Amino acid sequence: MSGDRMLILCVDRDDDIGFKAGIQSPVTGRDECLDAATRLGLEDPEDSDVNAIFQGIKIYDERLEKGDDVRIAVIAGNHYNSIDGDRKIAEDLRKIVWDLEVTECILVTDGAEDEFILPVIQSHVSVSSVQRVIVNQMPNLEGTYYIIKKILDDPKHAQSILMPVGLVMLIFAIGSLLGTTELAIFIVVGVLGVFLLFKGLGIDEYFSLALRGLKESFIGGRISFVCYIASIFIGLLGIVMGLSSFLTWYTPDAGVLFYLLTFIYGSVGYIVAAILIALLGKIIDVIQNEPKMLPRTITLPFFVTGLGLIAYGASVYVISLPTIEGFPIDGVDGLRIMMLTTIAGLILAFIGFYIQKVLQKVEKYAPEVKEKSSKRFSRH
């Protein structure tokens, strides 16, 4: 028997044990893990996390019979937000490793999704083995039907799959009824492109965080809630004005970049104003509740305004190059405006950076310096 202590770790990244069975993670100990698997199995016998937890208990019993010093735990993430979920898993694992004093880990998962957090686990404890539990399914066509049904029954997957498909079909149907099939196809392709871009870059996660912040500000009765609501309406107005600008200066065969800049030309002022209003509410909340965060937050309005000026100047210059009837700015004036707005944007960025450095020297707003601990464990 070695002197190392082993942890059998079952990971439920989407927090089925909390969402379905109401179990607060982390769960430690054989009896507690067995109770969690039983309760989850009674709520949803088809959930693969049930099998993963039972597999973890089986491995625990086997290692215990061999005389190993072994512990078992189940940790879960967040059902709605994978970023918050992974952060919770990391924090819970840190506490478990500290409390149980384990030195190595056997990771038990129900699929590849849970293994995405393997680097997070390895940063806290050495992973000696990964055991994936694959549940036998019905063969051929019945198995395919079962998998599709499971995906559609899961609210998280159904929202990601059904919502964009339904939106695309609705837009195409409306466009066809209005007799503009080509425009409908153009909008459908654009919506799909934006959706795939958001998913690919993870922007949808930031929207989830924004909605969560809106909810927290409303519950907390903060001034930022009013600012967020106002910024949403102004942002929607900016989108409408951008589309209006696009339709006003639309020319055939002009290119995608030109179409994008016509949208920016009409919308950038409203969008920047919406962001500034939201940041104003955030800054007020920070001053009242987290003054140490003010140096990091105060630079954002300057950066956003600077980027808005640069984007506006670039759009004016590009639109003024072609011969467009009715556009009030010619190529020379467009170049001059682009140069002035670019310089102004850079100056604003430097001003924001300077204000940040000044505030960091003020004791009230200076960030706290955390002392480094020598070691987490001391072994004799």
Side-chain angles (χ1 to χ4, degrees):
M1 174 177 173
S2 65
D4 294 333
R5 177 171 292 175
M6 180 183 298
L7 173 66
I8 310 299
L9 180 65
C10 302
V11 176
D12 177 15
R13 193 178 183 221
D14 51 2
D15 191 26
D16 286 331
I17 63 172
F19 181 75
K20 297 178 181 178
I23 300 171
Q24 183 69 29
S25 67
V27 181
T28 57
R30 184 188 187 281
D31 294 338
E32 289 76 7
C33 292
L34 181 60
D35 177 68
T38 304
R39 289 170 58 183
L40 179 59
L42 291 175
E43 292 294 330
D44 185 3
E46 298 177 340
D47 196 306
S48 58
D49 287 302
V50 176
N51 301 86
I53 299 174
F54 279 127
Q55 177 66 21
I57 297 173
K58 181 175 182 291
I59 297 174
Y60 171 84
D61 292 339
E62 292 174 350
R63 305 308 302 183
L64 200 61
E65 289 180 1
K66 292 181 179 180
D68 291 340
D69 189 4
V70 63
R71 300 289 187 271
I72 185 170
V74 179
I75 56 177
N78 189 296
H79 190 76
Y80 297 102
N81 190 295
S82 60
I83 295 178
D84 289 345
D86 291 348
R87 294 176 63 184
K88 179 180 180 297
I89 288 174
E91 180 63 21
D92 289 344
L93 180 60
R94 185 189 66 80
K95 294 178 181 177
I96 289 174
V97 171
W98 177 270
D99 294 339
L100 301 183
E101 297 184 346
V102 295
T103 56
E104 61 177 318
C105 165
I106 295 179
L107 176 63
V108 183
T109 76
D110 64 344
E113 182 183 29
D114 288 334
E115 292 177 16
F116 288 146
I117 48 85
L118 182 59
V120 177
I121 296 174
Q122 289 176 323
S123 66
H124 291 83
V125 64
S126 174
V127 178
S128 58
S129 177
V130 177
Q131 300 291 320
R132 179 186 294 180
V133 180
I134 301 177
V135 182
N136 294 328
Q137 301 287 356
M138 294 176 290
N140 303 331
L141 183 61
E142 292 182 352
T144 304
Y145 167 77
Y146 176 81
I147 294 172
I148 294 174
K149 182 176 181 297
K150 283 289 294 179
I151 292 175
L152 297 181
D153 286 343
D154 191 329
K156 183 176 64 176
H157 293 100
Q159 184 180 10
S160 301
I161 297 173
L162 297 182
M163 187 182 71
V165 173
L167 181 61
V168 164
M169 295 175 67
L170 178 62
I171 293 174
F172 186 80
I174 294 174
S176 300
L177 287 175
L178 297 176
T180 55
T181 306
E182 294 182 357
L183 181 60
I185 295 175
F186 175 80
I187 296 176
V188 165
V189 173
V191 170
L192 280 176
V194 171
F195 175 77
L196 294 176
L197 184 65
F198 273 36
K199 294 295 290 185
L201 297 177
I203 301 177
D204 57 320
E205 299 287 353
Y206 293 101
F207 273 99
S208 299
L209 291 175
L211 291 176
R212 182 176 178 180
L214 183 64
K215 179 181 178 180
E216 291 176 352
S217 63
F218 173 73
I219 295 175
R222 300 178 178 179
I223 188 64
S224 58
F225 175 76
V226 179
C227 295
Y228 290 161
I229 295 298
S231 66
I232 290 174
F233 283 108
I234 296 176
L236 293 175
L237 177 61
I239 294 175
V240 173
M241 297 303 295
L243 292 174
S244 175
S245 174
F246 167 77
L247 295 175
T248 301
W249 309 114
Y250 174 83
T251 55
D253 303 326
V256 177
L257 178 61
F258 179 81
Y259 297 148
L260 176 63
L261 290 174
T262 56
F263 177 84
I264 292 176
Y265 174 74
S267 64
V268 65
Y270 296 92
I271 293 177
V272 169
I275 297 175
L276 290 178
I277 292 175
L279 289 175
L280 175 62
K282 178 66 176 178
I283 290 173
I284 294 175
D285 284 348
V286 166
I287 293 174
Q288 293 178 343
N289 304 295
E290 301 174 290
K292 300 292 185 181
M293 296 291 294
L294 183 61
R296 295 174 55 184
T297 309
I298 198 66
T299 60
L300 296 178
F302 295 93
F303 290 165
V304 169
T305 307
L307 289 175
L309 287 172
I310 294 173
Y312 175 78
S315 64
V316 169
Y317 173 67
V318 173
I319 297 174
S320 66
L321 288 179
T323 304
I324 299 179
E325 184 178 353
F327 192 72
I329 303 172
D330 58 19
V332 177
D333 290 337
L335 178 61
R336 186 180 297 110
I337 291 175
M338 185 184 70
M339 293 178 63
L340 291 175
T341 53
T342 301
I343 294 172
L346 293 174
I347 292 174
L348 282 175
F350 281 114
I351 291 174
F353 181 75
Y354 176 76
I355 293 177
Q356 180 187 51
K357 293 301 181 182
V358 171
L359 288 177
Q360 287 177 346
K361 296 179 181 179
V362 180
E363 183 178 356
K364 181 180 179 181
Y365 304 116
E368 297 178 355
V369 179
K370 297 182 179 180
E371 297 181 358
K372 296 183 178 180
S373 58
S374 57
K375 287 186 178 180
R376 296 174 57 194
F377 302 109
S378 60
R379 299 193 178 275
H380 303 281

